[in-house]
């Protein structure tokens, strides 16, 4: 049975985000290089009727390359979503086919995060969640505001522990 795209009724989403925008830097650079190469190739061709067809071919190839190197990665980034709800951590991925992984808060054994200097300056990092189960470790790279995600996971764990101690 598939999981719903939205949280169940009464379940509150605490955090929800895509991977950090910097995951698209390579895509942006490739797009700029593709356009620059196509413009350079068109400008350096001498004028003639045959070259008009070659120019059109260059534009067509550049357009195909631009779609492959920019649109597909952008859609993949856009279709990837990290959510933290009161019930657990949900990771949704996929453009045409969809993959959803859920880790209930009650199964989280440990959470940690790491940030290199440049990641701290950009406001992103790697979140590592250890859980009981067959696929025990989840590593999420390029999580925006990773420190807040880490804190919120532990707050939920503490809230759940308080509920168990209070008999809820």
């Amino acid at each position: 049975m598939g999981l719903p795209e939205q949280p169940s009724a009464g379940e509150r989403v605490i955090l929800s985000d895509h991977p950090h925008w910097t995951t698209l830097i390579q895509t942006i650079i490739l797009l700029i290089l593709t356009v620059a190469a196509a413009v350079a190739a068109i400008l350096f061709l001498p004028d003639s009727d045959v070259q008009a067809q070659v120019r059109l071919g260059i534009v067509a190839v550049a357009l195909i390359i631009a779609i492959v190197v920019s649109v597909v990665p952008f859609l993949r980034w856009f279709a990837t979503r990290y959510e933290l709800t009161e019930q657990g951590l949900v990771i949704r991925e996929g453009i045409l086919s969809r993959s959803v992984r859920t880790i209930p808060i009650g199964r989280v054994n440990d959470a940690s995060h790491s940030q290199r200097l440049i990641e701290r300056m950009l406001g992103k990092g790697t979140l590592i969640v250890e859980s009981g189960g067959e696929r025990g470790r989840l590593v999420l790279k390029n999580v925006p505001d990773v420190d807040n995600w880490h804190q919120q996971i532990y707050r939920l764990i503490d809230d759940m522990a308080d509920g168990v101690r209070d008999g809820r």
Side-chain angles (χ1 to χ4, degrees):
M1 181 168 132
L3 292 173
E5 287 294 321
Q6 300 299 323
S8 59
E11 185 177 353
R12 187 172 58 97
V13 174
I14 296 164
L15 294 171
S16 180
D17 216 337
H18 298 285
H20 198 268
W21 64 267
T22 55
T23 57
L24 295 172
I25 287 178
Q26 181 180 1
T27 299
I28 293 167
I29 290 171
L30 286 173
L31 179 62
I32 291 169
L33 289 175
T34 300
V35 170
V39 168
I42 289 171
L43 290 177
F44 288 113
L45 281 176
D47 288 333
S48 77
D49 291 337
V50 175
Q51 267 59 13
Q53 293 172 345
V54 173
R55 283 189 174 99
L56 188 59
I58 291 171
V59 169
V61 168
L63 187 60
I64 291 169
I65 291 172
I67 288 171
V68 170
V69 301
S70 64
V71 173
V72 173
F74 175 78
L75 289 175
R76 190 175 298 123
W77 170 83
F78 189 75
T80 301
R81 189 128 200 105
Y82 305 144
E83 287 183 352
L84 181 63
T85 70
E86 293 173 326
Q87 303 299 313
L89 183 62
V90 181
I91 298 90
R92 301 178 199 283
E93 298 176 300
I95 300 170
L96 299 176
S97 61
R98 200 79 167 129
S99 168
V100 179
R101 181 167 179 198
T102 304
I103 300 177
I105 282 297
R107 295 239 176 159
V108 174
N109 296 332
D110 185 39
S112 61
H113 76 275
S114 63
Q115 292 177 295
R116 293 175 289 181
L117 177 61
I118 190 75
E119 290 175 327
R120 288 184 68 195
M121 293 185 331
L122 291 170
K124 68 176 188 169
T126 301
L127 180 65
I128 302 149
V129 179
E130 303 277 345
S131 69
E134 62 186 56
R135 294 172 45 192
R137 185 173 196 202
L138 176 66
V139 178
L140 299 175
K141 296 184 179 201
N142 297 309
V143 176
D145 196 15
V146 70
D147 188 48
N148 187 33
W149 281 80
H150 188 192
Q151 290 174 11
Q152 293 299 326
I153 289 170
Y154 270 107
R155 186 186 61 75
L156 287 172
I157 292 170
D158 287 345
D159 289 351
M160 180 176 269
D162 288 345
V164 169
R165 281 192 290 261
D166 294 344
R168 287 185 245 165

